[in-house]
Amino acid sequence: MHILFTRKSWELAIVSGCMLGLSFPPYKLGFLAWMGFVPLIRVILNEKPLKSALFGFMTGFIMNILALHWLSLNIGAPSKLFAIISLLSAAIYLALFWSLFCYIFSHIQSISGIGLLILPSLWIITEFIMSIGPFGFPWVSLSTTQVDYLPIIQIAEWTGIFGISFWLITVNVIFYELLNCSISYRSTIFRTLLFSIVSIWLFGYLRLGTLSDKDDKKKIKISVTQPNIGPQDKWEIKKRDWVFSRLDSLYKIASEMKPDIIIWPEAATPSFLIKNHTHLLRVRRLIRRTGIPLLTGTIDWSMSQNSRSYFNSVVLIKEDGQIPIYHKKQLVPIGEFNPFARQLPLTQELNLGNYTRGKEETIFEINGSLFASVICFESVFPRIIRSLTNIGAQFLIIVVNDGWYGESAELYQHEAIARLRAVEHRYPVIRSANTGISAIIDRSGREIKTLDIGETGVITASIVPFDGKTFYGRYGDWIISTAFLSILFFSFIGWRKGNL
């Protein structure tokens, strides 16, 4: 028995939480996720279901505190205390899923003895449940830890992010068996471990070698701006002209590269742009001089039943004609909307968010190619991007304002997740962020050009839209339904054997 397993259960739970938390960007320690589950596996194999749930909660809480510590740095929060409470609340909420996962695993193990066999399947189902609903948060999927390992994430083209997580837990199970087995089996299990790691890297390298962007006829030249304006400075009346002047200057710099489209980030303009005729006319004059369309984030409103609804939106403005618009559908809880407004009317006094959820999907067009644009937080939801891809999007533009979190890990993690979207659908992903990280990402998930945190400037590159569909694009999260069926099957087999 490995010396690690002689430690107490609470110590092992803490070790797992720390290893997994530190495996998230930007620390370049993604390999820790290959073995970070091992101590927790030891715990939940040897404890009863209720204790397993307790130690699972401990691991999940620590992991999420470490991975999401940047929530406490939100300069947009009403107070520092509010930001810290937000972090603790998020960590507790997400840890509950870990607790449920460990309880179910321990219970299945106790009645069937096949726990390790179904562990990867049970984990990805847990991740899937964490990603749905108004409080869904796929940000902390273990797949995010592997983005720096380009060959590994190539399987997302077939399995989405949950396939990466499945592989990770499988590797952890094999690691556990290696540490826990007798000497006679050690070489066999070591070879299995080596094969599971080498094979996915080799497969990834081979797949990367087959990807090509050589279709010159379809190329679209895109310029991404990064104004680097403080999210609170933008709304100061005295600085409004300065903000527009900076945006104008970046547009002019970008236009010198003669791109097909120029992008400003989320809520770039300090006004309701398409409702403010003075500001809209100013932007359209700029566009008429160059003939280059502008995609920009802006806030918007509409009247309904004598009340005004506000939206976080993105619009495509050309020289003239109608302006297509997309309203953000996946809003940030306790930031853009108040999830407790109906149940607890008094919370409306706390100003927990006043935006309204968009209801329609929008596909934009440029030079005959179709694209989708999503806003900030939405980019972490694979199902949202897949839905837009299935109605025609050939590339994706993400407009972002991560300036609320300074130069923290949030900016690195958010950009890393965008790279997963590129692999899932094998099309370019373009990211315009107010304060960074802006990037043009190719279909392999590789960054072609970037603007780092705190930089002001423009990046330009040509991309090739993709008008096909990947396996994941066609069939979505098939791996989740397969995992569920496998749990039922192996649990039944294990139960039958135990009752013969």
Side-chain angles (χ1 to χ4, degrees):
M1 181 185 296
H2 194 274
I3 189 172
L4 175 68
F5 298 151
T6 63
R7 312 305 300 180
K8 295 179 180 179
S9 291
W10 65 268
E11 294 175 313
L12 295 175
I14 290 173
V15 170
S16 268
C18 290
M19 291 178 70
L20 293 170
L22 293 172
S23 67
F24 281 80
Y27 306 114
K28 307 292 185 182
L29 298 174
F31 62 88
L32 290 178
W34 301 359
M35 61 199 85
F37 242 88
V38 171
L40 183 62
I41 291 174
R42 179 65 179 179
V43 172
I44 59 180
L45 279 174
N46 290 278
E47 298 286 357
K48 292 182 178 179
L50 284 176
K51 279 197 171 182
S52 292
L54 175 64
F55 292 121
F57 181 90
M58 186 183 297
T59 295
F61 181 78
I62 292 170
M63 188 212 81
N64 286 293
I65 285 288
L66 291 174
L68 304 177
H69 66 275
W70 43 264
L71 283 171
S72 67
L73 305 176
N74 184 359
I75 63 173
S79 67
K80 183 65 175 177
L81 177 61
F82 188 93
I84 293 172
I85 292 173
S86 297
L87 168 62
L88 294 174
S89 299
I92 290 170
Y93 169 72
L94 294 167
L96 290 173
F97 291 97
W98 285 71
S99 187
L100 180 63
F101 159 76
C102 290
Y103 179 86
I104 295 173
F105 170 86
S106 183
H107 184 67
I108 292 175
Q109 173 66 15
S110 66
I111 62 175
S112 67
I114 52 89
L116 289 180
L117 195 60
I118 56 93
L119 187 66
S121 294
L122 184 60
W123 174 254
I124 64 171
I125 289 173
T126 305
E127 278 198 358
F128 176 76
I129 295 171
M130 274 195 282
S131 74
I132 58 179
F135 291 98
F137 200 64
W139 191 297
V140 286
S141 164
L142 292 181
S143 61
T144 306
T145 67
Q146 301 302 295
V147 175
D148 287 326
Y149 308 134
L150 206 57
I152 289 177
I153 66 172
Q154 299 309 307
I155 62 171
E157 175 183 2
W158 288 275
T159 67
I161 60 173
F162 302 117
I164 301 171
S165 295
F166 185 95
W167 174 81
L168 276 171
I169 301 300
T170 300
V171 169
N172 273 270
V173 168
I174 300 171
F175 256 119
Y176 173 81
E177 292 285 21
L178 181 65
L179 296 177
N180 197 49
C181 70
S182 62
I183 296 176
S184 59
Y185 288 102
R186 193 160 294 168
S187 62
T188 300
I189 295 176
F190 178 76
R191 286 195 296 270
T192 303
L193 177 64
L194 196 63
F195 174 80
S196 66
I197 295 173
V198 171
S199 60
I200 195 170
W201 278 81
L202 182 60
F203 172 83
Y205 274 121
L206 291 173
R207 182 64 181 120
L208 286 168
T210 65
L211 297 175
S212 174
D213 283 332
K214 295 182 178 179
D215 190 348
D216 292 327
K217 295 179 182 178
K218 294 176 62 178
K219 281 190 176 180
I220 293 177
K221 197 172 186 180
I222 293 179
S223 285
V224 176
T225 67
Q226 183 168 297
N228 194 35
I229 299 169
Q232 292 175 327
D233 295 341
K234 182 188 304 179
W235 299 104
E236 291 185 23
I237 296 176
K238 293 179 180 179
K239 295 183 178 180
R240 185 168 292 175
D241 288 338
W242 171 78
V243 171
F244 269 105
S245 294
R246 175 167 288 193
L247 291 169
D248 289 351
S249 66
L250 289 173
Y251 180 94
K252 291 172 183 175
I253 292 169
S255 67
E256 293 173 3
M257 302 298 295
K258 301 190 182 305
D260 297 301
I261 186 172
I262 295 171
I263 307 167
W264 288 349
E266 177 186 9
T269 59
S271 67
F272 297 97
L273 182 59
I274 61 174
K275 298 290 193 297
N276 188 312
H277 296 293
T278 301
H279 291 159
L280 181 59
L281 181 60
R282 174 175 179 164
V283 170
R284 273 199 150 145
R285 282 174 180 164
L286 201 62
I287 294 170
R288 287 185 184 123
R289 291 192 200 110
T290 64
I292 303 172
L294 171 72
L295 184 85
T296 180
T298 183
I299 52 174
D300 192 37
W301 59 266
S302 66
M303 294 296 296
S304 176
Q305 298 179 348
N306 297 321
S307 64
R308 183 177 287 193
S309 297
Y310 295 94
F311 302 94
N312 190 353
S313 309
V314 61
V315 295
L316 179 62
I317 306 173
K318 298 183 179 181
E319 295 180 62
D320 46 39
Q322 290 189 329
I323 300 174
I325 186 169
Y326 168 75
H327 298 315
K328 188 176 183 180
K329 296 178 69 177
Q330 188 76 36
L331 301 175
V332 179
I334 316 179
E336 291 180 315
F337 83 103
N338 180 358
F340 312 113
R342 290 185 180 179
Q343 295 80 6
L344 299 170
L346 289 176
T347 60
Q348 295 185 50
E349 302 297 324
L350 298 176
N351 190 25
L352 301 179
N354 298 308
Y355 286 111
T356 300
R357 180 181 178 271
K359 295 180 180 179
E360 297 182 3
E361 295 174 324
T362 303
I363 295 295
F364 300 95
E365 183 272 333
I366 191 75
N367 288 4
S369 292
L370 305 178
F371 70 92
S373 183
V374 294
I375 303 167
C376 204
F377 183 56
E378 292 182 308
S379 66
V380 308
F381 290 86
R383 59 180 172 77
I384 292 176
I385 309 307
R386 178 173 174 265
S387 178
L388 289 165
T389 304
N390 283 339
I391 60 171
Q394 298 169 321
F395 62 96
L396 177 68
I397 296 176
I398 306 170
V399 293
V400 181
N401 182 14
D402 285 334
W404 303 105
Y405 298 100
E407 298 183 1
S408 69
E410 190 272 353
L411 285 77
Y412 295 95
Q413 292 173 11
H414 205 178
E415 193 270 342
I417 294 169
R419 297 168 65 187
L420 291 169
R421 302 291 87 85
V423 178
E424 285 169 347
H425 298 288
R426 288 301 179 204
Y427 58 27
V429 171
I430 298 90
R431 194 172 190 272
S432 177
N434 176 27
T435 60
I437 303 167
S438 296
I440 299 174
I441 302 164
D442 71 11
R443 57 201 299 245
S444 71
R446 184 182 289 110
E447 298 156 321
I448 301 173
K449 288 188 177 180
T450 61
L451 279 166
D452 209 347
I453 298 169
E455 289 189 85
T456 302
V458 177
I459 50 175
T460 302
S462 293
I463 59 105
V464 177
F466 178 62
D467 57 6
K469 287 185 181 178
T470 62
F471 189 89
Y472 173 75
R474 288 182 184 278
Y475 302 106
D477 295 316
W478 61 270
I479 194 171
I480 298 298
S481 53
T482 303
F484 181 73
L485 292 174
S486 71
I487 290 174
L488 292 179
F489 175 77
F490 288 118
S491 296
F492 177 72
I493 296 297
W495 176 81
R496 282 199 64 185
K497 286 185 177 180
N499 285 272
L500 290 178

